[in-house]
Amino acid sequence: MSYLGVGVSPGNVPVYHGSNLKVIDRRVRLAELVLRCIICGLAILSAVLIGTDTQVREIFTIRKKAKFTDMKALVFLVIANGIAAAYSLVQVLRCVLSMIRGSVLFNKPLAWAIFSGDQVMAYLTLAAVAASAQSAVFAKAGQPELQWMKTCTFYGRFCNQVGEGVASTVLVCLSMVVLSAISAFSLFRLYGDGKVKSSGGW
Amino acid sequence: MSYLGVGVSPGNVPVYHGSNLKVIDRRVRLAELVLRCIICGLAILSAVLIGTDTQVREIFTIRKKAKFTDMKALVFLVIANGIAAAYSLVQVLRCVLSMIRGSVLFNKPLAWAIFSGDQVMAYLTLAAVAASAQSAVFAKAGQPELQWMKTCTFYGRFCNQVGEGVASTVLVCLSMVVLSAISAFSLFRLYGDGKVKSSGGW
């Protein structure tokens, strides 16, 4: 993997010339930390909102209870949020540690690990959001062609709380997408060619 | 956006030292071209498979017809595949053109456009796959808690063809994920720091 010979291993602390780079680096790292904190908080909120959501309705003598385990997409959503929260917590600790240490660039294996993790998390949360949004549409609007009836007219409060959980996960997903772009930037700039002679562009 | 001053605008053709880089660059571009061709083919296949899928069943005198427009997730899947196919076709032309020209690196605005496009396509196809997979699970297994009955026992052939279309879109999605990593690499290495002194890592 020695692509261009500008890798940064733990023993080789990079030396920077130019304060402009340092300022941008600090901003990128701050944005990363803030986003990871937001993801951690929102993912926990979302998992709790959906995981604790139940509603009991009675029709005559029949007692019916709605819970998130009735729908596999919601179970997937809770699990995905749990994983996203745990992952973000670990990453927040890593960010804080690297800020305290004051190291500017990661080494390549670590950058690869962070990039891969962020990519997986972005795709995982998006898949969970899409699947649960599809289920929510069926529950809200039904599917008359298939005789699937609306269930949200019956379990109104339950559906609203699920909706809040899904909305919260949408924010988690968007933050993960931005973060995965940031970690791609942090990784692939390590492969930048210092030998390119031109200096135009933006 | 003049981050590190190593941007490559159309007028500034980069000068490379080392044949190793050229070989890897050629391989990356070849992999990109092959992946884009595969995506284009599979996306068209998938859109045709689902778009032309119909099944008519008769119960006594009642005539029932299943088509992909009965389920919004399948309409979304066909549209997403159509967009992916058109986008990939444009990108294939761009790849072939850049190969004929023999230009080694893109300019930054083009690299940003390709990166953004690939990201959007990867997330779009994943969302379409997740939503239609969720619908397929409901259609195949039903949801007894909500009195949503299985429909694939009735429309067997229709469901099988949809399954083939979804499987094809899964391959499109996986290829898009790999491509979006390649385009992230192509973009962010332009921001690589030529002034980093260390040369360890992998």
Side-chain angles (χ1 to χ4, degrees), chain A residues 1 70 108-109 143 192 202, chain B residues 1 70 108-109 143 189 202:
Chain A
M1 288 296 285
D70 290 345
K108 277 190 189 173
Q143 190 74 27
W202 47 280
Chain B
M1 290 297 287
D70 290 345
K108 276 190 190 175
Q143 190 74 26
R189 70 173 176 171
W202 45 280

Side-chain angles (χ1 to χ4, degrees), chain A residues 38-116:
Chain A
I38 290 173
I39 289 171
C40 191
L42 285 178
I44 291 171
L45 175 74
S46 182
V48 169
L49 271 175
I50 296 170
T52 60
D53 195 12
T54 51
Q55 188 175 1
V56 178
R57 288 289 304 268
E58 279 187 40
I59 326 166
F60 305 110
T61 51
I62 303 160
R63 201 164 170 273
K64 288 202 138 200
K65 188 178 181 183
K67 50 190 187 303
F68 80 102
T69 48
D70 290 345
M71 211 175 245
K72 284 183 188 73
L74 295 183
V75 178
F76 178 31
L77 196 66
V78 170
I79 293 172
N81 273 309
I83 294 173
Y87 174 80
S88 297
L89 197 65
V90 172
Q91 288 284 0
V92 164
L93 293 177
R94 202 253 325 144
C95 279
V96 170
L97 212 70
S98 90
M99 275 182 163
I100 293 170
R101 272 190 191 170
S103 57
V104 181
L105 262 183
F106 315 111
N107 56 64
K108 277 190 189 173
L110 182 59
W112 267 105
I114 295 168
F115 167 73
S116 310

Side-chain angles (χ1 to χ4, degrees), chain B residues 14-35:
Chain B
V15 182
Y16 280 93
H17 305 267
S19 59
N20 190 31
L21 176 59
K22 273 188 182 171
V23 171
I24 292 175
D25 236 333
R26 209 170 297 151
R27 278 185 196 162
V28 166
R29 278 198 296 162
L30 195 68
E32 190 188 341
L33 183 64
V34 170
L35 277 174

Side-chain angles (χ1 to χ4, degrees), chain A residues 8 10 12 23 28 38 40-41 51-52 62 68 72 81 99 123 128 140 142 144-145 165 172-174 177 182 185:
Chain A
V8 184
N12 300 315
V23 171
V28 166
I38 290 173
C40 191
T52 60
I62 303 160
F68 80 102
K72 284 183 188 73
N81 273 309
M99 275 182 163
Y123 292 122
K140 192 84 184 167
E145 294 87 351
V172 169
C173 180
L174 290 177
V177 167
I182 290 177
F185 168 76

